[in-house]
């Protein structure tokens, strides 16, 4: 018995290629494959953490669909498990497995279900026995309420037919068990918070107007009328500086567009955001702060009217409850200079994307973002309240992008199913947004991680979303290589 167990212990986990049939995608002998699949559907594997053993073993077996095998738990957890004392292992088996689950960070799920082969075939094949695609497998798994280890569909098979493919279907799906990997545990969605709010308009991210209450507009009617008049004059005076100071001219123009709305429909947060940039420029010229791109002084008449408009803007914003709250928060935010210094570089990169990405953000919203982006590029994040405006634009935009995409389809399988539908539903605005949002998150992963490093709630939400995006990308890569 001792020699037999020693021989088994020293045997490799079939890392070399031992596949026994041309349809087999799992690199294990047939007898081991049968035992593993039997265990995965057993009552033991469905009622506790024992399914981790099967999942751990599968992760170590490279196959045709997964080029690289590796640890399921990660090196840190592996080392911690391996270093446990003898007393850890001498407890009851169920206790040991639960302890390993805790170290590995796996979480229990209520009422697990198992997809039987016959149930799967009945659901996916019609009377004509037409081929069914991977997206059909996703649809079945999701609609049946199954939960899977990492992916509901572990076999990456693009096209399957019924005849002669029973084993391949079994390899293609072994839905649900009582445990899931921690990467699929969705953190709470952060609250919307202050500042601009975003939604979907025409399939693109759009800032939603935040109009003031009736009593606030009535009290400020005369001020708004005068401010509109002065901004129109300022806009005319600023036209000649379109070449020398294009960002200032753009900020004046965008502020005028926001102010031109009916009083009861004005966007308070939009006015505050762009007005903060305008006030920043006015202060920079007043103080002769030309250390960056501010090079030529303004004509006295233009500068004087700019200062007057900024003062009126301050009075207008303070006349709104939402405006007062934003001003107070911005002043507190400006005191954290260490955070401002750390978020400036990733913040500039993200604002660039939110100001130019026409596939992701609608035209009106990009025009709203641009003056804030330009000012923060020109003068910096520490100069005035515009730093807080930039922070809120990024924070609330990213929250909305994740919530509108991954937050509604929080598993790899659901996202892949949705992405697969994009080609079928070409022209659907919401599908187009989904297709633009995933590359945006993927390509800006480093900037997002750095920007939200000081915000635990957003950091957890963003890291979870980036993990899902990474798994989606890896799965798509494997599928394209089949």
């Amino acid at each position: 018995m001792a020699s037999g167990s020693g021989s088994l212990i020293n045997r490799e986990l079939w890392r070399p290629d031992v596949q026994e049939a041309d349809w087999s995608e799992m690199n294990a002998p047939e007898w081991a494959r049968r035992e593993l699949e039997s265990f995965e559907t057993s009552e033991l594997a469905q009622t506790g953490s024992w399914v981790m053993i099967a999942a751990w073993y599968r992760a170590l077996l490279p196959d045709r669909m997964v080029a690289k095998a590796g640890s399921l738990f990660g090196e840190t957890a592996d080392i911690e498990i391996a270093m446990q004392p003898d007393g850890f292992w001498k407890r009851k088996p169920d206790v040991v497995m639960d302890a390993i689950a805790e170290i590995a960070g796996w979480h229990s799920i209520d009422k697990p279900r198992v997809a039987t082969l016959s149930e799967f075939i009945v659901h996916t094949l019609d009377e004509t026995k037409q081929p069914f695609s991977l997206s059909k497998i996703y649809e079945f798994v999701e609609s049946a309420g199954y939960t899977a280890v990492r992916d509901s569909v572990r076999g990456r098979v693009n096209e399957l037919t019924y005849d002669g493919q029973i084993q391949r279907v079994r390899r293609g799906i072994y839905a649900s068990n009582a445990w899931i990997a921690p990467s699929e545990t969705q953190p709470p969605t952060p609250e919307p918070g202050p500042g601009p709010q975003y939604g979907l308009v025409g399939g693109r991210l759009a800032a939603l107007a935040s109009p003031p209450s009736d009593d606030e507009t009535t009290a400020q009617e005369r001020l708004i009328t005068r401010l509109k008049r002065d901004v129109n004059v300022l806009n005319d005076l600023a036209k000649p500086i379109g070449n020398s100071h294009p960002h200032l001219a753009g900020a004046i123009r965008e502020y005028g567009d926001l102010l031109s709305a009916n009083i009861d429909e004005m966007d308070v947060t939009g006015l505050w955001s762009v007005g903060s940039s305008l006030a920043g420029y006015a202060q920079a010229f007043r103080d002769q702060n030309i250390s960056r791109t501010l090079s030529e002084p303004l004509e006295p008449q233009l500068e004087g009217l700019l200062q007057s408009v900024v003062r009126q803007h301050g009075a207008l914003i303070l006349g709104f409850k939402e405006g007062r709250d934003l001003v107070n928060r911005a002043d507190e935010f400006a005191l954290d200079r260490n955070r401002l210094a750390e978020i400036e570089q990733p913040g500039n990169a993200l604002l660039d994307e939110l100001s130019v990405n026409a596939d992701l953000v609608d035209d009106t919203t990009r025009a709203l973002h641009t003056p804030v982006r330009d000012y923060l590029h020109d003068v910096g994040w520490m100069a005035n309240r515009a730093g807080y405006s930039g922070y809120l634009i990024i924070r609330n935009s990213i929250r909305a992008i994740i919530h509108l995409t991954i937050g509604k389809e929080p598993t790899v399988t659901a996202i892949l199913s949705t992405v697969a539908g994009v080609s079928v539903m070409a022209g659907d605005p919401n599908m187009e947004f989904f297709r633009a949002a995933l590359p945006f998150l993927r390509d800006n992963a480093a900037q997002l991680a750095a920007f939200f490093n000081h915000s635990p709630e957003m950091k957890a939400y963003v890291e979870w979303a980036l993990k899902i995006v990474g798994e989606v990308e890896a799965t798509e890569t494997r599928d394209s290589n089949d």
Side-chain angles (χ1 to χ4, degrees), residues 105-141:
W106 285 43
H107 305 279
S108 177
I109 293 180
D110 295 333
K111 298 180 180 179
R113 293 190 59 193
V114 179
T116 64
L117 179 61
S118 60
E119 185 180 5
F120 175 71
I121 293 174
V122 168
H123 184 89
T124 54
L125 294 182
D126 59 22
E127 293 180 358
T128 61
K129 295 185 178 179
Q130 294 295 313
F132 57 92
S133 65
L134 186 60
S135 62
K136 196 71 174 178
I137 298 176
Y138 297 148
E139 179 184 336
F140 165 68
V141 173

Side-chain angles (χ1 to χ4, degrees), residues 407-436:
K408 291 187 175 182
E409 306 287 354
T411 66
V412 174
T413 53
I415 291 173
L416 284 170
S417 181
T418 301
V419 171
V422 171
S423 60
V424 178
M425 303 175 66
D428 184 319
N430 292 338
M431 292 293 101
E432 296 298 328
F433 176 75
F434 205 104
R435 187 161 56 183

Side-chain angles (χ1 to χ4, degrees), residues 155-408:
R156 295 300 166 193
V157 183
N158 287 320
E159 286 293 329
L160 301 176
T161 58
Y162 175 76
D163 296 329
Q165 299 290 346
I166 298 296
Q167 292 293 337
R168 199 169 191 182
V169 173
R170 289 191 68 181
R171 174 68 183 101
I173 178 171
Y174 63 98
S176 143
N177 47 69
W179 298 81
I180 59 171
S183 64
E184 292 193 10
T185 303
Q186 182 177 358
T189 303
E191 293 298 319
Q197 303 301 310
Y198 296 86
L200 272 183
V201 176
R204 290 186 289 175
L205 188 73
L208 307 177
S210 56
S213 61
D214 292 340
D215 58 329
E216 289 179 326
T217 57
T218 302
Q220 300 210 81
E221 226 173 311
R222 292 181 60 186
L223 174 58
I224 292 173
T225 300
R226 187 176 69 181
L227 183 55
K228 283 184 176 182
R229 180 197 64 202
D230 288 353
V231 169
N232 287 335
V233 176
L234 181 63
N235 218 343
D236 291 337
L237 292 175
K239 289 178 181 178
I241 66 168
N243 291 327
S244 58
H245 300 296
H247 293 167
L248 171 60
I252 294 172
R253 185 168 54 252
E254 177 61 19
Y255 187 80
D257 288 344
L258 289 168
L259 200 65
S260 65
N262 293 331
I263 294 176
D264 56 350
E265 296 177 351
M266 282 185 176
D267 182 3
V268 174
T269 58
L271 281 169
W272 174 78
S273 295
V274 178
S276 295
S277 302
L278 205 58
Y281 279 121
Q283 179 181 344
F285 280 108
R286 184 174 62 245
D287 298 340
Q288 293 301 301
N289 179 10
I290 57 174
S291 59
R292 297 199 179 191
T293 61
L294 302 178
S295 53
E296 300 178 16
L298 299 177
E299 292 292 331
Q301 183 182 9
L302 174 58
E303 183 177 0
L305 186 55
L306 174 62
Q307 303 295 342
S308 174
V309 164
V310 165
R311 287 192 295 271
Q312 294 177 65
H313 163 75
L316 174 67
I317 288 299
L318 291 176
F320 300 126
K321 180 181 179 181
E322 186 173 10
R324 291 191 296 273
D325 179 58
L326 288 169
V327 168
N328 291 334
R329 289 174 181 269
D331 289 343
E332 292 179 8
F333 188 81
L335 297 176
D336 192 349
R337 299 184 70 80
N338 289 333
R339 173 162 64 170
L340 285 166
E342 291 183 19
I343 68 175
E344 181 166 7
Q345 185 277 327
N348 283 337
L350 292 169
L351 279 175
D352 276 342
E353 191 75 19
L354 293 170
S355 300
V356 302
N357 192 329
D359 293 329
L360 182 69
V361 186
D362 81 345
D363 298 346
T364 301
T365 304
R366 285 186 290 112
L368 182 66
H369 293 167
T370 298
V372 179
R373 184 272 312 262
D374 292 343
Y375 171 78
L376 294 176
H377 270 292
D378 288 348
V379 182
W381 286 63
M382 299 187 189
N384 85 330
R385 293 166 179 156
Y388 187 56
S389 176
Y391 174 80
L392 291 183
I393 286 174
I394 295 172
R395 189 261 186 201
N396 292 350
S397 290
I398 300 304
R399 176 197 173 277
I401 289 170
I402 294 175
H403 178 65
L404 292 168
T405 53
I406 299 172
K408 291 187 175 182

